[in-house]
Amino acid sequence: MDVKNLKLDLETLFVLDNFFKNQFRGSYRYGTMGFFYWKLVKNSSFPGIINGIFINSKLTSTASITPKTLLLHNKELFTAEIGDTYVAKRFSGRGFFLKLVNSSKTYCIENNINFIYGTPNNQSFPGYVKYCGFEKSEIIRPYSFSYLLDIKNHLKLKVGSFFANFFNIPYRFFLRIHHILLFVFNKFSSDYDVEEISFFSSKFDIFF
């Protein structure tokens, strides 16, 4: 059970596409060939990598390293996000997740990446801290908010096409009203102005 650094060619991207297609059943699609090509191969900082563990020549788990550039105190620092940590259900509980995260972290350290972080969910977070040497930041607190723009495909498998279309109409109407109210709220309640300036204040350097 060794961690393999995958070569990001078309064949590997196709293998990744199939792996994530099997992990995400239903209408939600994640981990396509185009997604990893954009995220890792065409990365604007420098090319990323993805590690995997194979059992009998079949991909069972993954972890990616996505390079990013951080501007801090007017200096560019190389950073990396460890993500896409997925283990096929039939192979869960074998320590693949921790092995991949630690291997990815070691790679970052050996390649002089200044800052390494991850955004694990509540289930993965204890492992990051206890077994991978990560610390919880009290300053950086990421939040993610999302909702479906269309629920027809999501409901179709559960309640059928007729009811999916029936419930989708008021849902989309609610979204339109919601967006209009947000626009009006931001238009009249914002406490900031956007202005063109010809010079930067000294506070700008302090901020960065």
Side-chain angles (χ1 to χ4, degrees), residues 129-193:
V129 175
K130 188 174 182 180
Y131 300 108
C132 301
F134 283 86
E135 296 180 0
K136 179 180 179 181
S137 172
E138 299 299 334
I139 301 175
I140 304 173
R141 298 182 181 180
Y143 292 91
S144 177
F145 300 95
S146 63
Y147 51 79
L148 296 172
L149 297 178
D150 190 302
I151 60 173
K152 181 171 57 178
N153 291 332
H154 182 71
L155 293 178
K156 188 182 295 184
L157 296 175
K158 299 179 179 179
V159 298
S161 297
F162 176 80
F163 287 106
N165 287 312
F166 178 80
F167 289 116
N168 193 51
I169 294 173
Y171 179 80
R172 289 180 64 84
F173 176 76
F174 164 77
L175 285 184
R176 289 181 179 274
I177 298 299
H178 178 65
H179 290 161
I180 292 171
L181 291 176
L182 284 178
F183 174 80
V184 173
F185 177 79
N186 291 326
K187 182 76 173 178
F188 295 102
S189 66
S190 60
D191 55 357
Y192 61 86
D193 294 315

Side-chain angles (χ1 to χ4, degrees), residues 20 25 89 109-110 156 164 191 194:
F20 281 94
R25 301 285 186 175
K89 290 182 179 179
I109 294 173
E110 291 176 348
K156 188 182 295 184
D191 55 357
V194 178

Side-chain angles (χ1 to χ4, degrees), residues 30-120:
Y30 182 86
T32 62
M33 292 178 66
F35 170 75
F36 283 111
Y37 181 78
W38 163 79
K39 180 180 182 180
L40 301 178
V41 179
K42 302 295 290 185
N43 191 289
S44 59
S45 297
F46 53 92
I49 71 167
I50 189 159
N51 291 320
I53 293 178
F54 288 79
I55 300 293
N56 295 327
S57 301
K58 185 175 182 180
L59 182 62
T60 63
S61 48
T62 61
S64 68
I65 299 174
T66 305
K68 300 183 180 182
T69 303
L70 174 66
L71 184 63
L72 182 65
H73 297 308
N74 208 29
K75 293 182 180 180
E76 287 190 354
L77 302 176
F78 289 128
T79 69
E81 176 184 0
I82 296 178
D84 301 308
T85 48
Y86 291 92
V87 179
K89 290 182 179 179
R90 59 178 295 201
F91 295 100
S92 62
R94 301 191 186 185
F96 290 6
F97 166 78
L98 297 177
K99 191 174 182 67
L100 282 165
V101 172
N102 279 319
S103 178
S104 301
K105 179 184 175 183
T106 299
Y107 174 90
C108 291
I109 294 173
E110 291 176 348
N111 285 272
N112 299 316
I113 295 178
N114 308 103
F115 178 66
I116 313 163
Y117 73 96
T119 54

